[in-house]
Amino acid sequence: MSKVEFKNAQKAFGAVKVIEGLSLEIPHGSFAVLLGPSGCGKSTLLRMIAGLEKLTGGEVAIAGKRVNDVHPRDRDIAMVFQNYALYPTMKVRENIAFNLEIQKLEKREIERRVSEAADILNLRPFLDRYPKELSGGQRQRVAMGRALVREAGVFLFDEPLSNLDAKLRAHMRVEIRQLHERLGATTLYVTHDQIEAMTMADIIVLLDKGAIVQVGTPDEVYEKPNSVYVADFIGSPSMNFFDGEIEADGEEVRFRAANLSIPLEARYRGQAGKSVKLGVRPNDLHFAADGAFKGEVILSETTGAEVQIHVRIRDSDVVAVAPRTERRVHGEAVALSVPPGKVHIFDAQSERRIEPQ
Amino acid sequence: MSAATNSGIKRSRRHIGDHPLPWLLPLILLLVTFTIYPFFYNVWLSFHEFAPLSRSLEYVGLQNWSQLLGDTRFWQSLSITLAYFVVALTLELVIGMCIALLLDADEPGFGLLRALLTMNLVIPPAIVGYMYLLMEDPQFGVISFVLQMFGLVDTSTPILSSPSLALAGVLLAEIWQWTPFMVLILLAGLRSLPTEPYEAAMIDGASAFQTFWRLTLPMMWKVIAIAVLIRGIDLFRVFDYVFVMTSGGPGTATYTLSYYSWQQTFSFIKWGYGATLSLVTLIIVLVVANIFVKFAKVRW
Ligand SMILES: Nc1ncnc2c1ncn2[C@@H]1O[C@H](COP(=O)(O)OP(=O)(O)OP(=O)(O)O)[C@@H](O)[C@H]1O
Ligand SMILES: [Mg+2]
């Protein structure tokens, strides 16, 4: 059992507070993805679990045991460092095998595991090279290899695929997930890649400035973001936002802004009169002649299967995602509609989600 | 290093113009005046000898060289120099590395400790020699006193005048003064090592011992090689301590090569033979140093 817990954990570098009173529980065997903007403390959190950063307050626990003062080598952890941290004087083969040698595994077993990892990572031709003779992506794969051969209780991945090409990345997503399931390990995974986060995670932990903003399954975080911050962060392209207020008019509840009036679900009736932010995901916007959002096309970007169409509505830009067959030209007047169940309403002041039953 | 050598392209840190001569000239002049001319004079000298009667240098052909090969004093002093070299270098390196590892810390106070180390180095070697001469004095020397206390020597065996202990007595001064030099070079190396591999090694579960052997030592290899080279060359011409403490005695127990050639040149006025001895010393140093450079893969 290797549940990972933070209890009111704090970390400061001198006067700079990086993590302030963070509590979190990653259940045993689950795959948690840490998301957040650059500099929000993701690497610091992983390094606190690994024992590479001392906490300045609170507690980290692994498998229910406080490990604040346990040496990294005794925490049963495998880690892929954001900066790779390869051993410069060892060949790729030795880099990958180092832990196994320390565990005094049999030579044949070490050989087997290293070549298995090398196959997964396409590293076979480089096994006898030194790290400085490799490209950035190859080095990152060596760093991955060091983790793949391990059978640790907790796996920490700090943006492990950031430098790989799309194909290898897709392949590695599957491999990492399989490793996780085969070992029944607890995994913490940092990424900036939305697809990685959505496809791999059991739990997504969203961070901002060293604090947790939301914890939930990928579906929860995507469908019920608890704040404008989360809604904006999750999903690509980002959610469209409109400032306005809720109006109840007889039977109808509507969101009304300067030149916009959108029907809402009846459950928002109680919020009438409130200033709110309305959010709509680009792929929930559909072209419809009688749509509420009227504007003109300013840009159309094809991304393979889909096309992202930027529409200017008054003074704000809105992005809609449509199948690539939807061809729109610059300057064309269009109207977009959104199904009432697909809008997200946030309080204008606190930017928290409004979710009446 | 291997990246550069593999591709055969040598990358330079600095751009040197098409006309390097003006920049090289001062250095060339210095070298010619103070190194190259004396060297060739020395070679010339080794084929001559000072004749006391005519009070001039006379050509003697290969006589100095053939005398050298049959000179048991020479072979003896060579083996003493080698023993001194091996023991001093080994101990200075090992003790130096241990101290350097202990001092490689960021806590307050360590900077001061590191600075204190340089104190040994600023004392002139001849003075250190006198210090140890006194400290090893059988009557009132503190080292003799301590060793006697532990029953390691008795009052009847003065360290510096017993043939079996004299070299060790000289080495004591040598090691005391020069270990800090090793510490300084090794510390500079240690402090400049990257920290990331150490973090990875902790995660990989390496013990302190494994980390040292598999990580620190290989990463420090070049620094160690340079330290050994600099100190090793220096050790081959050891003179001050011997001169001050034992004058080569008792008997020939501490006759090193440089002491022997000094004596031939300046005491016995055998300028030609003295020059031959120092040339041989130079040749040995050059050969050994180059073999070492080749095997240690030090790149200049
Ligand atoms: N050793 C340190 N001393 C001072 N500040 C530090 C130190 N390490 C990290 N920080 C600060 O802590 C904050 C969090 O850093 P961290 O590396 O955890 O960010 P991150 O979320 O991993 O960012 P990225 O996505 O860019 O990797 C940053 O603002 C950083 O400047
Ligand atoms: Mg980071």
Side-chain angles (χ1 to χ4, degrees):
Chain A
M1 297 300 278
S2 32
K3 174 172 77 168
V4 173
E5 284 168 286
F6 285 102
K7 295 176 191 159
N8 191 27
Q10 289 151 36
K11 175 70 199 175
F13 294 103
V16 188
K17 289 182 182 158
V18 177
I19 307 285
E20 288 186 73
L22 179 143
S23 297
L24 175 67
E25 183 177 328
I26 313 290
H28 169 75
S30 59
F31 196 110
V33 167
L34 303 186
L35 279 179
S38 180
C40 73
K42 304 178 297 293
S43 299
T44 307
L45 269 188
L46 290 199
R47 293 169 56 82
M48 283 156 75
I49 299 171
L52 300 172
E53 301 288 359
K54 270 217 159 329
L55 274 70
T56 41
E59 190 174 305
V60 208
I62 298 175
K65 207 181 93 216
R66 181 189 143 102
V67 292
N68 286 35
D69 303 313
V70 175
H71 192 276
R73 81 170 80 89
D74 302 317
R75 296 190 185 198
D76 191 23
I77 272 172
M79 180 163 180
V80 177
F81 289 79
Q82 185 168 14
N83 54 15
Y84 318 150
L86 302 181
Y87 306 122
T89 52
M90 296 187 204
K91 292 178 174 167
V92 168
R93 180 192 304 283
E94 299 163 311
N95 260 279
I96 297 175
F98 192 49
N99 168 267
L100 307 178
E101 277 169 28
I102 285 164
Q103 288 186 49
K104 299 209 166 43
L105 259 59
E106 237 180 281
K107 270 224 151 48
R108 295 242 319 273
E109 172 67 5
I110 295 180
E111 188 57 37
R112 190 187 65 74
R113 286 209 215 168
V114 170
S115 68
E116 197 182 346
D119 283 338
I120 293 173
L121 294 158
N122 294 340
L123 275 178
R124 198 167 271 289
F126 311 111
L127 280 178
D128 288 310
R129 290 211 199 162
Y130 287 97
K132 65 171 173 245
E133 300 164 352
L134 300 176
S135 77
Q138 288 162 350
R139 287 180 205 176
Q140 189 164 40
R141 280 183 269 160
V142 179
M144 271 299 298
R146 280 200 309 212
L148 286 187
V149 296
R150 296 283 307 274
E151 289 181 348
V154 178
F155 279 79
L156 306 173
F157 294 97
D158 201 344
E159 303 186 31
L161 311 180
S162 58
N163 268 328
L164 305 188
D165 59 71
K167 201 172 153 203
L168 193 56
R169 207 184 275 205
H171 174 57
M172 287 311 301
R173 286 206 301 267
V174 180
E175 290 291 345
I176 292 175
R177 222 21 251 217
Q178 279 175 354
L179 173 81
H180 168 81
E181 257 135 50
R182 176 164 58 80
L183 297 177
T186 306
T187 302
L188 278 92
Y189 190 102
V190 172
T191 181
H192 286 293
D193 184 322
Q194 301 269 339
I195 302 173
E196 277 172 35
M198 287 297 161
T199 56
M200 300 173 82
D202 298 323
I203 308 169
I204 287 184
V205 179
L206 229 126
L207 297 161
D208 183 26
K209 301 194 188 87
I212 292 178
V213 189
Q214 186 168 6
V215 180
T217 64
D219 285 348
E220 282 167 5
V221 177
Y222 186 80
E223 282 164 14
K224 291 200 165 36
N226 68 4
S227 61
V228 171
Y229 177 81
V230 177
D232 189 37
F233 199 87
I234 303 275
S236 170
S238 293
M239 193 181 268
N240 302 298
F241 293 101
F242 305 89
D243 292 314
E245 56 183 54
I246 296 181
E247 277 183 9
D249 178 11
E251 280 302 290
E252 266 193 346
V253 183
R254 302 188 74 87
F255 168 83
R256 195 178 294 281
N259 58 339
L260 207 58
S261 175
I262 299 165
L264 296 177
E265 290 171 309
R267 62 194 175 108
Y268 290 107
R269 173 174 301 277
Q271 312 297 320
K274 217 173 217 173
S275 293
V276 295
K277 257 189 161 62
L278 172 125
V280 185
R281 294 214 178 271
N283 37 356
D284 291 330
L285 281 170
H286 307 292
F287 289 94
D290 59 346
F293 303 91
K294 293 186 175 40
E296 70 178 41
V297 174
I298 52 172
L299 180 65
S300 175
E301 298 173 300
T302 313
T303 61
E306 294 173 329
V307 55
Q308 298 179 3
I309 300 171
H310 298 247
V311 178
R312 174 150 297 165
I313 298 174
R314 276 295 219 49
D315 45 0
S316 59
D317 288 355
V318 169
V319 183
V321 172
R324 63 174 297 144
T325 49
E326 192 78 59
R327 299 218 175 260
R328 301 285 163 169
V329 293
H330 181 91
E332 188 178 342
V334 292
L336 296 159
S337 74
V338 58
K342 294 288 190 183
V343 298
H344 305 260
I345 305 284
F346 304 95
D347 187 288
Q349 242 83 66
S350 67
E351 302 208 324
R352 308 291 302 172
R353 183 183 187 83
I354 296 175
E355 190 68 44
Q357 290 313 305
Chain B
M1 176 195 111
S2 34
T5 39
N6 282 351
S7 57
I9 299 167
K10 197 164 179 309
R11 269 176 268 163
S12 174
R13 248 183 254 284
R14 252 181 324 164
H15 175 75
I16 305 236
D18 294 336
H19 303 286
L21 205 59
W23 280 272
L24 288 178
L25 211 56
L27 185 64
I28 291 175
L29 282 178
L30 277 174
L31 275 174
V32 167
T33 318
F34 294 108
T35 308
I36 297 179
Y37 168 72
F39 171 75
F40 282 109
Y41 180 68
N42 205 339
V43 174
W44 180 85
L45 208 53
S46 75
F47 295 105
H48 294 72
E49 192 52 277
F50 183 75
L53 289 179
S54 63
R55 292 172 162 269
S56 66
L57 287 163
E58 284 173 4
Y59 180 72
V60 293
L62 286 171
Q63 190 202 305
N64 283 329
W65 292 90
S66 61
Q67 181 191 343
L68 179 99
L69 293 178
D71 182 0
T72 45
R73 274 314 257 303
F74 163 70
W75 293 109
Q76 224 169 28
S77 63
L78 178 61
S79 69
I80 287 168
T81 305
L82 283 176
Y84 186 92
F85 171 84
V86 170
V87 173
L89 198 55
T90 312
L91 287 179
E92 283 168 20
L93 185 62
V94 172
I95 301 173
M97 182 58 103
C98 293
I99 298 178
L101 287 170
L102 288 175
L103 289 182
D104 179 19
D106 291 316
E107 276 76 10
F110 279 87
L112 183 69
L113 281 179
R114 288 194 285 267
L116 281 177
L117 273 174
T118 48
M119 302 233 315
N120 291 18
L121 293 169
V122 297
I123 307 172
I127 306 292
V128 173
Y130 275 114
M131 274 164 49
Y132 272 80
L133 184 63
L134 293 179
M135 289 197 289
E136 290 172 30
D137 185 281
Q139 257 99 58
F140 49 84
V142 59
I143 294 175
S144 300
F145 174 76
V146 171
L147 290 178
Q148 282 160 14
M149 210 166 68
F150 287 105
L152 291 171
V153 295
D154 54 59
T155 26
S156 62
T157 50
I159 301 171
L160 289 175
S161 42
S162 79
S164 58
L165 291 177
L167 194 63
V170 177
L171 276 165
L172 226 50
E174 157 76 40
I175 291 165
W176 178 84
Q177 180 155 42
W178 291 102
T179 300
F181 173 80
M182 283 289 188
V183 176
L184 287 180
I185 294 191
L186 297 176
L187 247 177
L190 285 175
R191 311 269 317 147
S192 67
L193 292 182
T195 52
E196 294 90 5
Y198 286 90
E199 297 185 336
M202 282 193 243
I203 302 284
D204 267 339
S207 65
F209 188 72
Q210 286 164 325
T211 308
F212 177 75
W213 279 106
R214 296 294 307 274
L215 221 54
T216 307
L217 219 46
M219 287 201 286
M220 284 283 289
W221 183 243
K222 277 184 188 145
V223 174
I224 293 173
I226 297 283
V228 164
L229 200 63
I230 297 176
R231 192 69 216 119
I233 290 172
D234 228 28
L235 277 168
F236 240 92
R237 10 163 271 213
V238 51
F239 179 77
D240 325 48
Y241 307 121
V242 173
F243 181 83
V244 170
M245 294 173 77
T246 62
S247 305
T252 56
T254 57
Y255 252 84
T256 58
L257 266 184
S258 59
Y259 187 79
Y260 186 43
S261 59
W262 169 84
Q263 196 187 38
Q264 289 296 321
T265 313
F266 296 104
S267 296
F268 302 161
I269 318 294
K270 293 272 189 90
W271 289 350
Y273 194 52
T276 313
L277 282 170
S278 52
L279 260 185
V280 169
T281 314
L282 177 71
I283 291 168
I284 294 172
V285 169
L286 280 180
V287 170
V288 173
N290 276 295
I291 292 175
F292 177 79
V293 164
K294 193 163 163 47
F295 279 94
K297 300 201 173 76
V298 182
R299 198 174 54 130
W300 293 107

